[in-house]
Amino acid sequence: NAVAGGINLGATGAANLLDDYEEGTWTPTIQDAYFSNGKSQTYSVQVGTYTKIGHVVNATCYIIATSLGTLAGSNTYLAGLPFVAASTTNNFASAVAGQAAGLAITAGTNVTGYIPPSTSYMILNTWGVTTGSSTMGISQFTNDGSIQINVTYRV
């Protein structure tokens, strides 16, 4: 049901009006706890796309590092998400890596991630033990590491 300024999804009223749809691109980057792009990181691929419908964003990316420069530390962040996540307490969004290569992780270990509330980055984790996931260190991503990842989150 098309109406001026949107599409009515059933009953009348603002709650049923779809008037916020957007598609676009974003540039993913690998970061450490300082969240700086000025640490000589270089990439051969940095592709990110998103679809935003209302307050829900589906974002995908593919990134291949050629050098992590001077990044260091026990946390690897995938930064540059197209929107800041909602500030709702405990509103974490989980991400799934469909492909990864060139990483310094143990065979059988999965790469996952999550977006904390009020942020525009994802914290990467590894999951290879029954006790759960642990934060992925920069040294585990490596200078030639790559990842394809997808996440749906609220803004």
Side-chain angles (χ1 to χ4, degrees):
N1 222 6
V3 296
I7 298 174
N8 192 312
L9 300 175
T12 60
N16 296 303
L17 185 65
L18 174 60
D19 61 353
D20 185 7
Y21 179 90
E22 181 180 336
E23 294 180 350
T25 62
W26 60 285
T27 304
T29 60
I30 301 298
Q31 306 284 318
D32 61 14
Y34 294 101
F35 295 104
S36 173
N37 286 320
K39 292 197 165 192
S40 302
Q41 306 98 303
T42 57
Y43 309 93
S44 61
V45 175
Q46 286 177 280
V47 176
T49 61
Y50 71 87
T51 302
K52 180 178 179 284
I53 303 172
H55 53 81
V56 177
V57 177
N58 182 58
T60 63
C61 78
Y62 181 36
I63 188 167
I64 302 174
T66 53
S67 173
L68 295 178
T70 59
L71 292 176
S74 59
N75 293 331
T76 301
Y77 298 92
L78 183 67
L81 288 168
F83 300 94
V84 174
S87 62
T88 309
T89 303
N90 295 320
N91 184 42
F92 292 83
S94 297
V96 177
Q99 179 276 341
L103 304 178
I105 58 177
T106 305
T109 299
N110 297 315
V111 178
T112 63
Y114 66 94
I115 302 171
S118 302
T119 65
S120 60
Y121 60 79
M122 181 184 314
I123 300 172
L124 295 182
N125 289 328
T126 57
W127 192 326
V129 295
T130 57
T131 54
S133 61
S134 58
T135 306
M136 181 180 198
I138 291 290
S139 63
Q140 291 177 291
F141 197 89
T142 74
N143 282 325
D144 64 347
S146 72
I147 193 166
Q148 293 177 2
I149 201 159
N150 182 64
V151 65
T152 299
Y153 65 105
R154 295 179 69 85
V155 295

